[in-house]
């Protein structure tokens, strides 16, 4: 078993990481020390700034992850503001912003960037999941915007899926796939 230290305060992300990496032989431990989430123009920059802060505090290799929901009809909003918008407007507020937007105009995508800090070197792994914003909240699982996001190829929201189903399609699951590939082969990432 190899241990991966995941710096996150989000128990939903932690549970997904464990569901994904546990069966592959990785023990994911949580570091709750946190880092300031600086407002940046891209997920990559937020993740890099996070690594800078955590590297001064932790004396071991670690990962952290930054994610966001990008809605086409809202010109990519909430994007890097997703955490703030989820806290303030929530899923209901997002649905209100989309009021009157027809089925064919509700495309959106989730993106996740995993930053891996390994012996002083930084590697980034990005996963994207395309889908659409539903017209109502559905399901009791997951976290954040899961009840209003339906991935392409499915009729269910992420909140209606179990963790393994979400991981198979999700931005985070795809970013973790690349991370695991890197750990196995020492390749990819940027
Ligand atoms: P952050 O990576 O913690 O900054 O996440 C930004 C926000 O995006 C979170 O607070 C959630 O509201 C939302 N988010 C990120 N990933 C997911 C996901 O997998 N499902 C639902 N919402 C998500």
């Amino acid at each position: 078993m190899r241990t991966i230290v995941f710096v996150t305060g989000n128990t939903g992300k932690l549970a997904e990481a464990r569901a994904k990496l546990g069966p592959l032989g990785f023990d994911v431990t949580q570091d709750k020390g946190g880092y300031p989430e600086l407002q940046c123009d891209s997920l990559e920059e937020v993740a890099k700034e996070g690594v800078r802060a955590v590297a001064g505090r932790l004396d071991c290799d670690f990962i952290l992850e930054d994610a966001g929901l990008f809605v086409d009809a809202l010109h990519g909003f909430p994007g890097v503001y997703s955490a703030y918008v989820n806290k303030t407007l929530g899923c209901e507020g997002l649905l209100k912003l989309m009021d009157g937007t027809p089925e064919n105009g509700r495309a959106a995508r989730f993106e996740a960037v995993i930053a891996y800090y390994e012996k002083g070197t930084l590697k980034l792994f990005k996963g994207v999941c395309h889908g659409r914003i539903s017209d109502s909240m559905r399901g009791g699982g997951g976290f954040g915007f899961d009840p209003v996001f339906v991935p392409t190829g499915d009729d269910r929201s992420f909140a209606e899926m179990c963790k393994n189903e979400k991981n198979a399609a999700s931005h985070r699951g795809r970013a973790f796939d690349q991370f695991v590939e890197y750990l196995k082969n020492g390749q990819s990432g940027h």
Side-chain angles (χ1 to χ4, degrees):
M1 261 281 170
R2 178 165 169 186
T3 298
I4 305 285
V5 177
F6 189 4
V7 182
T8 183
N10 184 324
T11 50
K13 288 185 181 184
L14 180 69
E16 288 177 19
R18 284 183 170 151
K20 183 89 189 176
L21 300 180
L24 298 173
F26 297 97
D27 176 31
V28 181
T29 66
Q30 182 183 22
D31 176 277
K32 296 184 191 167
Y35 51 92
E37 278 207 29
L38 300 181
Q39 209 55 70
C40 302
D41 291 337
S42 69
L43 301 178
E44 284 85 349
E45 284 175 61
V46 177
K48 279 183 193 169
E49 288 300 328
V51 165
R52 231 187 290 278
V54 176
R57 172 170 78 70
L58 283 188
D59 197 18
C60 60
D61 299 346
F62 63 86
I63 58 169
L64 55 80
E65 187 253 29
D66 199 59
L69 175 66
F70 298 76
V71 181
D72 287 8
L74 304 177
H75 309 289
F77 185 80
V80 291
Y81 307 106
S82 292
Y84 178 74
V85 170
N86 191 259
K87 242 179 267 157
T88 51
L89 302 181
C91 289
E92 293 94 344
L94 180 68
L95 288 177
K96 277 206 187 96
L97 291 178
M98 299 289 288
D99 233 4
T101 308
E103 183 74 24
N104 63 4
R106 302 179 75 90
R109 69 185 185 281
F110 264 122
E111 294 186 3
V113 172
I114 292 171
Y116 179 38
Y117 191 70
E118 182 191 29
K119 298 179 184 48
T121 304
L122 175 65
K123 289 268 184 311
L124 298 178
F125 305 91
K126 185 170 190 167
V128 180
C129 176
H130 292 275
R132 64 184 165 81
I133 303 300
S134 55
D135 48 20
S136 62
M137 289 175 66
R138 295 201 317 249
F143 66 95
F145 293 111
D146 277 348
V148 295
F149 185 83
V150 178
T152 301
D154 213 300
D155 289 328
R156 296 168 302 166
S157 77
F158 270 162
E160 293 179 294
M161 299 178 178
C162 71
K163 279 181 193 55
N164 287 341
E165 288 172 322
K166 179 181 170 187
N167 266 335
S170 80
H171 48 310
R172 186 164 302 103
R174 288 179 175 159
F176 272 123
D177 283 339
Q178 293 177 44
F179 173 55
V180 168
E181 200 56 32
Y182 171 77
L183 292 180
K184 283 186 181 156
N185 302 326
Q187 285 164 15
S188 80
H190 58 271

